[in-house]
Amino acid sequence: MSGDTGLTEAFLSGAPPKLAPALRVLPQLEQRLGALLDQARQAHPSLRFEPTAFMRHLAARLPATGDAESSLSTIRVDELLLAFACAQGDAAALAALDTHVLSRVREWIPKEDASFVSEVQQRLRQRLLMPDGGNPPKISTFTGRGTLSQWARAVATRLAIDIKREATGNVPLDEAPADADALVGRDPEFSFIRSRYQEEFRHAFREALAALSPKERNLLRLHHVDNLSVDSVGTMYQTSRSTAARWIAQARERLLETTRSALADRLKLDAGELDSLLGLVRSHLDVSLHQLLKP
């Protein structure tokens, strides 16, 4: 039995207001909470967490109304602790998530090829672990009713559907979004390049994107389209800021070099003209990525 004290008040402070009175009068509540805490610790002995913070988190994910006894007895504290620790950025929890949840994406979509599976894995990692518009990571909304894998599978299935829709609905470069001109500052030289080499560039850039690995595409999407900082990308991939910066730079350079090679096959330009074209494209890379990678 856990020796932690103060679990009850922490737990009740996080409970839904309408359910809190019924929870408060449950027999031996402090001991029951201690037993739940011990159960969670035994399932994940390597995780480090603050017990009262976890108790508040647990209570906040109980149903707002209903039977207090069944609400508490049916929660999967082992699964909930893993999700809680992942939301806190615990390295051991993130490694466990990779091993026990994200690795199962292929099992969930067995008919898809390896590239598509990898794309879903990358998107799932992003969806679960990255804050969204000031909101906490989605994994923090997991309630512990059922397993984390079952819950993540539902998220992955929706992402797979979204990716297939994107594949058939990419925005062509000649149908740029309304804010594209604002993004490039109404650059007349870039507008001229787009109009003169539009068809060739569209095909070359798409070929170059397709040649990237799912991880490389996701890195570019996160940094150039979703505007995540290098630090945030590093946190997501459990790596240092310098490594994340190097990965992003390598993906960007590979994209540009592959685009250059494809354009060289299509356009009758000398090396200097081709480099000038790629230099301009490089300076407006965000625009092109917004058009082809933005969901």
Side-chain angles (χ1 to χ4, degrees), residues 114-143:
S115 177
F116 187 85
V117 171
S118 182
E119 182 84 11
V120 174
Q121 284 176 323
Q122 299 289 342
R123 298 274 193 105
L124 181 60
R125 179 191 293 276
Q126 177 187 353
R127 181 68 58 86
L128 296 185
L129 299 178
M130 296 304 298
D132 181 18
N135 296 317
K138 185 174 180 62
I139 200 168
S140 68
T141 68
F142 173 66
T143 64

Side-chain angles (χ1 to χ4, degrees), residues 14 36 41 54 86 89 109 113 118 123 135 140 144 153 163 182 216 238 243 283:
L36 289 174
R41 281 173 166 159
F54 177 57
C86 284
I109 48 175
D113 62 32
S118 182
R123 298 274 193 105
N135 296 317
S140 68
R153 181 177 184 173
I163 293 170
E216 288 171 324
Q238 304 170 50
T243 298
S283 69

Side-chain angles (χ1 to χ4, degrees), residues 94 122 125-126 129-131 215-249 251-252:
L94 294 171
Q122 299 289 342
R125 179 191 293 276
Q126 177 187 353
L129 299 178
M130 296 304 298
K215 179 180 177 180
E216 288 171 324
R217 283 194 298 272
N218 202 50
L219 286 166
L220 294 177
R221 180 186 294 108
L222 291 171
H223 189 58
H224 288 279
V225 180
D226 297 337
N227 297 316
L228 292 185
S229 68
V230 173
D231 293 298
S232 295
V233 174
T235 298
M236 177 180 166
Y237 279 93
Q238 304 170 50
T239 191
S240 66
R241 184 185 191 281
S242 60
T243 298
R246 184 175 72 253
W247 287 350
I248 293 168
R252 185 168 54 237

